[in-house]
Coordinates of all heavy atoms in Angstrom, one line a residue:
M1 N -78.9 47.5 40.8 CA -78.3 47.3 42.1 C -79.2 47.8 43.2 O -79.8 48.9 43.1 CB -77.0 48.1 42.1 CG -76.1 47.7 43.2 SD -74.4 48.3 42.7 CE -73.8 48.5 44.3
S2 N -79.4 47.0 44.3 CA -80.3 47.4 45.3 C -79.6 48.3 46.4 O -78.4 48.2 46.6 CB -80.9 46.2 45.9 OG -79.9 45.4 46.6
K3 N -80.4 49.1 47.1 CA -79.9 49.9 48.2 C -80.5 49.3 49.5 O -81.5 48.6 49.5 CB -80.5 51.3 48.0 CG -79.8 52.1 46.9 CD -80.4 53.5 46.7 CE -80.7 54.2 48.0 NZ -81.2 55.5 47.8
F4 N -79.7 49.6 50.5 CA -80.2 49.2 51.9 C -81.1 50.2 52.4 O -81.0 51.4 52.1 CB -79.0 49.0 52.8 CG -78.2 47.8 52.5 CD1 -76.9 47.9 51.9 CD2 -78.6 46.5 52.8 CE1 -76.1 46.8 51.7 CE2 -77.9 45.4 52.5 CZ -76.6 45.5 51.9
A5 N -82.0 49.8 53.3 CA -82.9 50.8 54.0 C -82.1 51.7 54.9 O -81.1 51.3 55.4 CB -84.0 50.0 54.7
S6 N -82.6 52.8 55.2 CA -81.9 53.8 56.0 C -82.0 53.4 57.5 O -81.1 53.7 58.3 CB -82.4 55.2 55.9 OG -83.8 55.3 56.3
G7 N -83.0 52.7 57.9 CA -83.2 52.3 59.3 C -83.6 53.4 60.3 O -83.4 53.3 61.5
K8 N -84.2 54.4 59.8 CA -84.5 55.6 60.6 C -85.7 55.2 61.6 O -85.9 55.9 62.6 CB -84.9 56.8 59.8 CG -86.0 56.7 58.9 CD -86.2 58.0 58.1 CE -87.3 57.8 57.1 NZ -87.5 59.0 56.3
H9 N -86.5 54.2 61.3 CA -87.5 53.8 62.2 C -87.2 52.4 62.9 O -88.1 51.9 63.5 CB -88.8 53.6 61.4 CG -89.3 54.9 60.7 ND1 -89.7 56.0 61.4 CD2 -89.3 55.2 59.4 CE1 -90.0 56.9 60.6 NE2 -89.8 56.5 59.3
S10 N -85.9 52.0 62.8 CA -85.6 50.7 63.4 C -84.8 50.8 64.7 O -84.3 51.8 65.0 CB -84.7 50.0 62.4 OG -85.3 49.8 61.2
W11 N -84.8 49.7 65.4 CA -84.1 49.6 66.7 C -83.1 48.5 66.6 O -83.1 47.6 65.8 CB -85.1 49.2 67.8 CG -86.1 50.3 68.1 CD1 -87.3 50.4 67.5 CD2 -86.0 51.4 69.0 NE1 -88.0 51.5 68.0 CE2 -87.1 52.1 68.9 CE3 -84.9 51.8 69.8 CZ2 -87.3 53.3 69.7 CZ3 -85.1 53.0 70.5 CH2 -86.3 53.7 70.5
S12 N -82.0 48.6 67.4 CA -80.9 47.7 67.4 C -80.4 47.5 68.8 O -80.6 48.3 69.6 CB -79.8 48.2 66.5 OG -78.8 47.2 66.4
L13 N -79.8 46.3 69.1 CA -79.3 46.0 70.4 C -77.8 46.2 70.4 O -77.1 45.8 69.4 CB -79.6 44.6 70.8 CG -81.0 44.2 71.0 CD1 -81.2 42.8 71.3 CD2 -81.7 45.1 72.0
C14 N -77.2 46.8 71.4 CA -75.8 47.0 71.6 C -75.2 45.6 71.9 O -75.7 44.9 72.8 CB -75.5 48.0 72.7 SG -73.8 48.2 73.1
D15 N -74.1 45.3 71.2 CA -73.4 44.0 71.5 C -72.7 44.0 72.9 O -72.5 42.9 73.4 CB -72.4 43.8 70.4 CG -73.0 43.4 69.1 OD1 -74.2 42.9 69.1 OD2 -72.3 43.5 68.1
R16 N -72.4 45.1 73.4 CA -71.7 45.2 74.7 C -72.7 45.3 75.9 O -72.6 44.4 76.8 CB -70.7 46.3 74.8 CG -69.9 46.3 76.1 CD -68.7 47.1 76.1 NE -67.8 46.6 75.1 CZ -66.9 47.3 74.5 NH1 -66.8 48.6 74.7 NH2 -66.0 46.8 73.6
C17 N -73.5 46.2 75.9 CA -74.4 46.4 77.1 C -75.8 45.7 76.9 O -76.4 45.4 77.9 CB -74.6 47.9 77.4 SG -75.5 48.8 76.1
G18 N -76.2 45.4 75.7 CA -77.4 44.7 75.5 C -78.7 45.6 75.5 O -79.8 45.1 75.3
F19 N -78.5 46.9 75.7 CA -79.6 47.8 75.7 C -80.1 48.1 74.2 O -79.3 48.0 73.3 CB -79.3 49.1 76.4 CG -79.1 49.0 77.9 CD1 -78.0 49.4 78.5 CD2 -80.1 48.5 78.6 CE1 -77.8 49.3 79.8 CE2 -80.0 48.4 80.0 CZ -78.8 48.8 80.6
R20 N -81.4 48.5 74.1 CA -81.9 48.8 72.8 C -81.7 50.3 72.5 O -82.0 51.1 73.4 CB -83.4 48.5 72.9 CG -84.1 48.7 71.6 CD -85.6 48.2 71.7 NE -86.3 49.4 72.2 CZ -87.6 49.6 71.9 NH1 -88.3 48.7 71.3 NH2 -88.2 50.6 72.4
H21 N -81.2 50.5 71.3 CA -81.0 51.9 70.9 C -81.5 52.0 69.5 O -81.8 51.1 68.8 CB -79.5 52.2 70.9 CG -78.8 52.2 72.2 ND1 -78.9 53.2 73.1 CD2 -78.1 51.2 72.9 CE1 -78.3 52.9 74.2 NE2 -77.8 51.7 74.1
R22 N -81.6 53.3 69.0 CA -82.0 53.6 67.6 C -80.9 53.0 66.7 O -79.7 53.0 67.1 CB -82.2 55.1 67.4 CG -83.2 55.8 68.2 CD -84.6 55.4 67.9 NE -84.8 55.6 66.4 CZ -86.0 55.7 65.9 NH1 -87.1 55.6 66.7 NH2 -86.2 55.9 64.6
Y23 N -81.3 52.5 65.6 CA -80.4 51.8 64.7 C -79.3 52.8 64.2 O -78.1 52.4 64.1 CB -81.2 51.3 63.5 CG -80.3 50.6 62.4 CD1 -79.9 49.3 62.7 CD2 -79.9 51.2 61.3 CE1 -79.0 48.7 61.7 CE2 -79.1 50.6 60.4 CZ -78.7 49.3 60.6 OH -77.9 48.7 59.7
D24 N -79.6 54.1 64.0 CA -78.7 55.0 63.5 C -77.7 55.5 64.6 O -76.7 56.2 64.4 CB -79.3 56.2 62.9 CG -80.4 56.9 63.7 OD1 -80.6 56.4 64.8 OD2 -80.9 58.0 63.3
Q25 N -78.0 55.1 65.9 CA -77.1 55.5 67.0 C -76.1 54.4 67.3 O -75.2 54.5 68.2 CB -77.9 55.7 68.3 CG -78.9 56.9 68.2 CD -78.1 58.2 67.9 OE1 -77.1 58.5 68.6 NE2 -78.6 59.0 67.0
I26 N -76.2 53.2 66.6 CA -75.2 52.1 66.8 C -74.1 52.3 65.8 O -74.3 52.5 64.7 CB -75.9 50.8 66.6 CG1 -77.1 50.6 67.6 CG2 -75.0 49.6 66.7 CD1 -76.7 50.4 69.0
V27 N -72.8 52.2 66.3 CA -71.7 52.3 65.5 C -70.8 51.0 65.5 O -71.0 50.2 66.4 CB -70.8 53.5 65.9 CG1 -71.5 54.8 65.8 CG2 -70.3 53.3 67.4
S28 N -70.0 50.9 64.5 CA -69.1 49.7 64.5 C -67.8 50.1 65.2 O -67.1 51.1 64.9 CB -68.8 49.5 63.0 OG -68.7 48.1 62.8
E29 N -67.5 49.3 66.2 CA -66.3 49.6 67.1 C -65.0 49.2 66.4 O -65.0 48.1 65.8 CB -66.4 48.8 68.4 CG -65.3 49.1 69.4 CD -65.5 48.4 70.7 OE1 -65.8 47.2 70.6 OE2 -65.4 49.0 71.7
S30 N -64.1 50.0 66.4 CA -62.8 49.7 65.7 C -62.1 48.6 66.5 O -62.1 48.6 67.7 CB -61.9 51.0 65.6 OG -61.6 51.4 66.9
G31 N -61.4 47.7 65.8 CA -60.7 46.6 66.4 C -61.5 45.4 66.6 O -61.0 44.3 66.4
T32 N -62.7 45.5 67.0 CA -63.6 44.3 67.2 C -64.7 44.1 66.2 O -65.2 43.1 66.0 CB -64.2 44.3 68.6 OG1 -65.0 45.4 68.7 CG2 -63.1 44.3 69.7
E33 N -65.1 45.2 65.6 CA -66.2 45.3 64.6 C -67.5 44.9 65.3 O -68.4 44.4 64.6 CB -65.9 44.4 63.4 CG -64.7 44.9 62.6 CD -64.8 46.3 62.1 OE1 -65.9 46.8 61.8 OE2 -63.8 47.0 62.2
W34 N -67.6 45.1 66.6 CA -68.9 44.9 67.3 C -69.8 46.1 67.0 O -69.3 47.2 66.8 CB -68.7 44.8 68.8 CG -68.2 43.5 69.3 CD1 -67.7 42.5 68.5 CD2 -68.1 43.1 70.6 NE1 -67.3 41.4 69.4 CE2 -67.5 41.8 70.6 CE3 -68.4 43.6 71.8 CZ2 -67.3 41.1 71.8 CZ3 -68.2 42.9 73.0 CH2 -67.7 41.7 73.0
R35 N -71.0 45.9 67.0 CA -72.0 47.0 66.8 C -72.4 47.5 68.2 O -73.1 46.7 68.9 CB -73.2 46.5 66.0 CG -72.9 46.0 64.6 CD -72.6 47.1 63.7 NE -73.7 47.9 63.4 CZ -73.7 49.1 62.9 NH1 -72.6 49.6 62.4 NH2 -74.8 49.8 62.8
V36 N -71.9 48.6 68.6 CA -72.1 49.1 70.0 C -72.7 50.5 70.0 O -72.7 51.2 69.0 CB -70.8 49.2 70.8 CG1 -70.2 47.8 71.0 CG2 -69.8 50.0 70.1
C37 N -73.4 50.9 71.1 CA -73.9 52.2 71.2 C -72.8 53.2 71.4 O -71.7 52.9 71.7 CB -75.0 52.3 72.3 SG -74.3 51.9 74.0
R38 N -73.1 54.5 71.3 CA -72.1 55.5 71.4 C -71.5 55.6 72.9 O -70.4 56.0 73.0 CB -72.6 56.9 71.0 CG -73.0 56.8 69.5 CD -73.3 58.2 69.0 NE -73.8 58.2 67.6 CZ -73.0 58.2 66.6 NH1 -71.7 58.1 66.7 NH2 -73.5 58.1 65.4
T39 N -72.3 55.2 73.9 CA -71.8 55.3 75.3 C -70.8 54.1 75.5 O -69.9 54.3 76.3 CB -72.9 55.2 76.3 OG1 -73.7 54.1 76.1 CG2 -73.8 56.5 76.2
C40 N -71.0 53.0 74.9 CA -70.1 51.9 75.0 C -68.9 51.9 74.1 O -67.9 51.2 74.3 CB -70.8 50.6 74.8 SG -72.0 50.1 76.0
D41 N -68.9 52.8 73.1 CA -67.8 52.9 72.1 C -66.6 53.5 72.8 O -66.6 54.6 73.3 CB -68.2 53.7 70.9 CG -67.1 53.7 69.9 OD1 -66.3 52.8 69.8 OD2 -67.1 54.7 69.1
D42 N -65.5 52.7 72.9 CA -64.2 53.2 73.5 C -63.5 54.1 72.5 O -62.8 55.0 72.9 CB -63.3 52.1 73.9 CG -63.9 51.3 75.0 OD1 -64.8 51.8 75.7 OD2 -63.5 50.1 75.1
G43 N -63.6 53.9 71.2 CA -62.9 54.7 70.2 C -61.5 54.3 70.0 O -61.1 54.3 68.9
T44 N -60.7 54.1 71.0 CA -59.3 53.7 70.9 C -59.0 52.3 71.1 O -57.9 51.8 71.1 CB -58.5 54.6 71.8 OG1 -58.9 54.3 73.2 CG2 -58.6 56.0 71.6
Y45 N -60.1 51.5 71.4 CA -59.8 50.0 71.7 C -59.4 49.3 70.4 O -59.9 49.5 69.4 CB -61.1 49.4 72.2 CG -61.0 48.0 72.5 CD1 -60.4 47.5 73.7 CD2 -61.5 47.0 71.6 CE1 -60.2 46.2 74.0 CE2 -61.3 45.6 71.9 CZ -60.7 45.3 73.1 OH -60.6 44.0 73.4
N46 N -58.3 48.6 70.6 CA -57.8 47.8 69.5 C -57.2 46.5 70.0 O -56.5 46.6 71.0 CB -56.7 48.6 68.8 CG -56.3 48.0 67.5 OD1 -56.5 46.9 67.2 ND2 -55.7 48.8 66.6
L47 N -57.4 45.4 69.4 CA -57.0 44.1 69.9 C -55.5 44.0 70.0 O -54.9 43.4 70.8 CB -57.6 43.0 69.1 CG -59.0 42.7 69.3 CD1 -59.5 41.6 68.4 CD2 -59.3 42.3 70.7
S48 N -54.8 44.7 69.1 CA -53.3 44.6 69.1 C -52.6 45.6 70.0 O -51.5 45.4 70.4 CB -52.8 44.8 67.7 OG -53.1 46.1 67.2
T49 N -53.3 46.7 70.4 CA -52.7 47.7 71.2 C -53.3 47.8 72.6 O -53.1 48.8 73.3 CB -52.7 49.1 70.5 OG1 -54.1 49.4 70.3 CG2 -52.0 49.1 69.2
H50 N -54.2 46.8 73.0 CA -54.8 46.9 74.3 C -53.8 46.7 75.4 O -52.9 45.9 75.2 CB -55.9 45.8 74.4 CG -56.8 46.0 75.5 ND1 -56.6 45.5 76.7 CD2 -58.0 46.7 75.6 CE1 -57.5 45.9 77.6 NE2 -58.4 46.6 76.9
P51 N -53.8 47.4 76.5 CA -52.8 47.3 77.5 C -52.7 45.9 78.1 O -51.6 45.5 78.6 CB -53.2 48.3 78.6 CG -54.2 49.2 78.0 CD -54.8 48.5 76.8
Q52 N -53.7 45.1 78.2 CA -53.7 43.8 78.7 C -52.9 42.8 77.8 O -52.6 41.7 78.3 CB -55.1 43.3 79.1 CG -55.7 44.0 80.2 CD -57.1 43.5 80.5 OE1 -57.7 42.8 79.7 NE2 -57.5 43.7 81.7
N53 N -52.7 43.2 76.6 CA -52.0 42.3 75.7 C -50.5 42.4 75.7 O -49.8 41.7 75.1 CB -52.5 42.5 74.2 CG -53.9 42.1 74.0 OD1 -54.4 41.2 74.8 ND2 -54.6 42.6 73.0
T54 N -50.0 43.4 76.5 CA -48.5 43.5 76.6 C -48.2 43.2 78.1 O -48.8 43.8 79.0 CB -48.1 45.0 76.3 OG1 -48.8 45.9 77.1 CG2 -48.4 45.3 74.8
P55 N -47.1 42.4 78.3 CA -46.7 42.1 79.7 C -46.1 43.3 80.4 O -45.5 44.2 79.7 CB -45.8 40.9 79.5 CG -45.2 41.1 78.2 CD -46.4 41.7 77.3
P56 N -46.1 43.4 81.7 CA -45.4 44.5 82.3 C -43.9 44.3 82.2 O -43.4 43.2 82.0 CB -45.8 44.4 83.8 CG -46.2 42.9 84.0 CD -46.7 42.5 82.6
P57 N -43.1 45.4 82.3 CA -41.7 45.3 82.2 C -41.1 44.5 83.4 O -41.5 44.7 84.5 CB -41.2 46.7 82.2 CG -42.3 47.5 82.8 CD -43.6 46.8 82.4
V58 N -40.2 43.6 83.1 CA -39.6 42.8 84.2 C -38.1 43.1 84.3 O -37.4 43.0 83.3 CB -39.8 41.3 83.9 CG1 -39.2 40.4 84.9 CG2 -41.3 41.0 83.7
S59 N -37.7 43.4 85.5 CA -36.3 43.6 85.7 C -35.6 42.3 86.1 O -36.2 41.5 86.7 CB -36.1 44.7 86.7 OG -36.6 44.3 88.0
P60 N -34.3 42.2 85.8 CA -33.6 41.0 86.2 C -33.4 40.9 87.7 O -33.4 41.9 88.4 CB -32.2 41.1 85.5 CG -32.1 42.5 85.2 CD -33.4 43.1 85.1
D61 N -33.3 39.7 88.2 CA -33.1 39.5 89.6 C -31.7 40.0 90.0 O -30.8 40.0 89.3 CB -33.2 38.0 90.0 CG -34.6 37.4 89.8 OD1 -35.5 38.2 89.8 OD2 -34.7 36.2 89.7
S62 N -31.6 40.5 91.3 CA -30.4 41.0 91.7 C -29.4 39.8 92.0 O -29.9 38.7 92.4 CB -30.6 41.8 93.0 OG -31.2 41.0 94.0
Q63 N -28.1 40.0 91.9 CA -27.1 39.0 92.2 C -26.9 38.8 93.6 O -27.2 39.7 94.5 CB -25.8 39.3 91.4 CG -26.0 39.3 90.0 CD -24.6 39.6 89.3 OE1 -23.7 40.1 90.0 NE2 -24.5 39.4 88.0
G64 N -26.3 37.7 94.0 CA -26.0 37.4 95.4 C -24.8 38.2 95.8 O -24.1 38.8 94.9
L65 N -24.4 38.2 97.0 CA -23.3 38.9 97.5 C -22.0 38.2 97.1 O -21.9 37.0 96.9 CB -23.3 38.9 99.1 CG -24.5 39.6 99.7 CD1 -24.5 39.5 101.2 CD2 -24.5 41.1 99.3
R66 N -20.9 39.0 96.9 CA -19.7 38.4 96.4 C -19.0 37.6 97.5 O -18.5 36.5 97.2 CB -18.8 39.6 95.9 CG -17.5 39.1 95.3 CD -16.8 40.2 94.7 NE -15.6 39.7 94.0 CZ -14.8 40.3 93.3 NH1 -15.1 41.6 93.1 NH2 -13.7 39.8 92.8
F67 N -18.9 38.1 98.7 CA -18.3 37.4 99.8 C -19.3 37.2 101.0 O -19.3 37.9 102.0 CB -17.1 38.2 100.4 CG -16.0 38.4 99.3 CD1 -15.8 39.7 98.8 CD2 -15.3 37.3 98.8 CE1 -14.8 39.9 97.9 CE2 -14.3 37.6 97.9 CZ -14.1 38.8 97.4
P68 N -20.2 36.2 100.8 CA -21.2 36.1 101.9 C -20.6 35.5 103.1 O -19.7 34.7 103.1 CB -22.2 35.1 101.2 CG -21.4 34.3 100.3 CD -20.4 35.3 99.8
R69 N -21.2 35.8 104.3 CA -20.8 35.3 105.6 C -22.0 34.8 106.3 O -23.0 35.5 106.3 CB -20.1 36.4 106.4 CG -18.8 37.0 105.8 CD -17.7 36.0 106.0 NE -16.5 36.6 105.5 CZ -15.7 36.1 104.5 NH1 -16.2 35.1 103.8 NH2 -14.6 36.7 104.2
P70 N -21.9 33.7 107.0 CA -23.0 33.2 107.7 C -23.3 34.0 109.0 O -22.4 34.7 109.5 CB -22.6 31.8 108.1 CG -21.2 31.8 108.1 CD -20.8 32.8 107.0
D71 N -24.5 34.0 109.5 CA -24.8 34.8 110.7 C -24.1 34.1 111.9 O -24.0 32.9 112.0 CB -26.3 34.7 111.0 CG -27.1 35.6 110.0 OD1 -26.5 36.5 109.4 OD2 -28.3 35.3 109.8
V72 N -23.5 34.9 112.7 CA -22.7 34.4 113.9 C -23.4 34.9 115.1 O -23.7 36.1 115.3 CB -21.3 35.0 113.8 CG1 -20.5 34.5 115.0 CG2 -20.6 34.5 112.6
N73 N -23.6 34.0 116.0 CA -24.3 34.3 117.3 C -23.2 34.8 118.2 O -22.3 34.1 118.7 CB -24.9 33.1 117.9 CG -25.8 33.4 119.1 OD1 -25.9 34.6 119.5 ND2 -26.4 32.5 119.6
V74 N -23.1 36.1 118.6 CA -22.1 36.7 119.4 C -22.4 36.6 120.9 O -21.6 37.0 121.7 CB -21.9 38.2 118.9 CG1 -21.2 38.3 117.6 CG2 -23.1 39.0 119.0
A75 N -23.5 36.1 121.2 CA -23.9 36.0 122.7 C -23.4 34.7 123.3 O -24.1 34.1 124.1 CB -25.4 36.2 122.8
L76 N -22.3 34.1 122.9 CA -21.8 32.9 123.5 C -21.2 33.0 124.8 O -20.5 33.6 125.3 CB -20.9 32.2 122.5 CG -21.5 31.6 121.2 CD1 -20.5 31.1 120.3 CD2 -22.5 30.5 121.6

C-alpha cells in the first residue's frame, strides 16, 4: 500500500482568496469541502445552516377596520 507525500516543501492555492500558501496551512472547509487557508476558514460555515438559506420571519397582514367610514369634508 502506498503512502502520500507529506507536502512539507509544497505550495497550494486557496480556493476562496486565490493566494498561495504552504500546503500544510491549507485546510478542508466544513460544509463545502473547499481547500482554504486558515484566514479564509469560517469554521462554522455549513450549507444547511447558513443564515441566507432561511427566510426572515413574516408576520401576517393586519386586518381591515370593522366599521370603516369614508373621509368627510367638514368645510362645506
Side-chain angles (χ1 to χ4, degrees):
M1 196 161 152
S2 64
K3 288 177 38 177
F4 290 107
S6 65
K8 61 183 178 181
H9 300 292
S10 301
W11 294 92
S12 183
L13 296 178
C14 174
D15 287 339
R16 182 164 295 152
C17 65
F19 289 123
R20 185 176 86 153
H21 296 279
R22 299 292 303 201
Y23 181 79
D24 54 354
Q25 298 297 318
I26 300 289
V27 295
S28 218
E29 185 179 46
S30 62
T32 60
E33 297 305 319
W34 283 11
R35 301 285 295 164
V36 295
C37 60
R38 295 191 188 276
T39 56
C40 290
D41 184 25
D42 294 338
T44 59
Y45 180 77
N46 191 339
L47 287 177
S48 61
T49 61
H50 195 271
Q52 290 182 342
N53 290 337
T54 56
V58 179
S59 61
D61 292 338
S62 58
Q63 294 181 348
L65 298 175
R66 184 170 182 174
F67 300 110
R69 300 284 186 243
D71 290 337
V72 178
N73 189 359
V74 288
L76 290 175

